[in-house]
Amino acid sequence: MALVKAGVVVLDCAEPERLAVFYRELLEGEQTHESANRVEIRGAGGTRLAFRRDVGATPPSWPRPENSFQVHLDFVVADLDEAERRVVGLGGRPLETKDAAGPFEERGYADPAGHSFTLRRVPPTAPKQG
């Protein structure tokens, strides 16, 4: 029997309810728990995130070195342009939107509370159909 049954990535923020909505919509998921100081979601692909109230929360400053990385999330998407429109429409903001050269295209963003995350396109491994 496994000692650890499940893991959840927890983001500290001033407004957990608001940040949970952003990620729930982005990941097309559902809210699984809510209390006065914590909200949890599960994305359609199984990603589990929680958002904990921190009244002293300050947004990360990435890419500046001071207070830069508190956490970083990567999400694999099929269409970077479509995913970017969704992120911005939900209140996120671009940080690095130039496509990286090579087989691993990616773009950096910040959620409404300032946490950074990356949308990454991984080329399909199946042959092209039609």
Side-chain angles (χ1 to χ4, degrees):
M1 177 183 245
L3 178 63
V4 177
K5 297 182 191 240
V8 177
V9 174
V10 180
L11 301 177
D12 291 344
C13 57
E15 300 176 78
E17 301 84 3
R18 181 174 173 233
L19 200 55
V21 168
F22 173 83
Y23 281 104
R24 187 187 75 224
E25 294 296 320
L26 178 64
L27 301 175
E28 299 179 14
E30 64 180 332
Q31 183 172 307
T32 58
H33 172 79
E34 182 175 11
S35 66
N37 293 306
R38 183 177 169 119
V39 179
E40 293 184 21
I41 66 160
R42 180 176 36 249
T47 302
R48 296 181 60 197
L49 297 173
F51 311 94
R52 182 179 66 177
R53 189 175 317 281
D54 178 351
V55 295
T58 58
S61 62
W62 190 89
R64 296 183 314 275
E66 66 280 358
N67 191 32
S68 61
F69 271 122
Q70 295 175 353
V71 68
H72 180 85
L73 304 170
D74 278 350
F75 298 109
V76 175
V77 299
D79 184 320
L80 283 169
D81 293 331
E82 181 181 342
E84 179 173 305
R85 286 189 292 275
R86 181 175 204 141
V87 166
V88 171
L90 292 169
R93 64 182 170 84
L95 296 175
E96 291 181 357
T97 57
K98 290 186 273 183
D99 292 335
F104 300 104
E105 297 176 85
E106 62 183 42
R107 298 178 187 171
Y109 300 88
D111 65 27
H115 301 102
S116 62
F117 64 94
T118 299
L119 298 179
R120 178 182 313 273
R121 189 182 73 76
V122 177
T125 57
K128 182 178 178 182
Q129 301 293 316

